[in-house]
Amino acid sequence: VKVAHDVRKWIAAATAYTVTGAAASGAVGALLGWAGERLGRWPAAGMAAWGGAALAALLAARELGWLPFPLPQRRRQAEKIWYQQFGAVTAAALWGLHIGVGFHTRVRFSGFWLLAVLAVLGRDPLAGAALLVSYWLGRALSLWAAPRLLSLSGAGVEYLQAVESSARAQRRTHALALAVAAVALGCATVR
Amino acid sequence: MAISTSTRPRRRAGDAGGDAVAQATWGLFAAAVLAAVAALPAAPRLALLPLAVVFGWTQIGGV
């Protein structure tokens, strides 16, 4: 009974985290798109896509270690004390809100900044929200996948230990995804 | 007393879990690239959404 209760609590907490994070990410993406709308007609759509492609290529080079430079970010982490103060579900909802904003916490790799810039250049609040909500869903997916991945590994280890062990693959995949984004943005300019 | 003569480095406990996470990452990336390529001709903007999911996933452990 205790295990079933804990599973229900875990699902409630993961759902709260996912939903509040999506709301925060969507709001930030919409705000960036709205800010882009205020820019007016500059830069032109083709120029914006080329700029996005160039930025994606630059960031891919960074993640491959060819062009190291620091990312603008706040080196903060989610407040762990909320768990003691508010309990698992409310704390998870607050963590979702906090982390979902994106600019409040540590940014490990640079793809977030590409999406933030593209949300502005897209000049469309809905498109900006879609970009950052997609990003958030990827972040939340890593939480939902944790029990399955740990049972597949059969190692019985802590999830964060497993994640740390895969850091190199994460960075390479991130770099490749940035390179694909550069090509996609480049293709968008020649349509 | 048995003494191991293996010269292979011992795998840490987290390595098996790390392999599972890395495989899931590559699988997600492959699915995202397929989705992006499918979306590109009709709607280039939509092509970025599956890649955004990959950007989010790879922040795993970053908070």
Side-chain angles (χ1 to χ4, degrees), chain A residues 130-152:
Chain A
L131 272 177
L132 289 204
V133 168
S134 298
Y135 173 79
W136 175 256
L137 292 179
R139 288 196 80 154
L141 185 60
S142 64
L143 171 67
W144 287 97
R148 177 73 180 145
L149 290 175
L150 281 183
S151 69
L152 275 179

Side-chain angles (χ1 to χ4, degrees), chain A residues 35-51:
Chain A
E37 267 186 334
R38 303 276 85 77
L39 288 176
R41 292 178 176 275
W42 189 91
M47 197 171 144
W50 274 120

Side-chain angles (χ1 to χ4, degrees), chain A residues 95-107:
Chain A
W95 286 331
L97 274 177
H98 187 208
I99 300 167
V101 170
F103 298 100
H104 271 176
T105 45
R106 185 174 161 231
V107 178

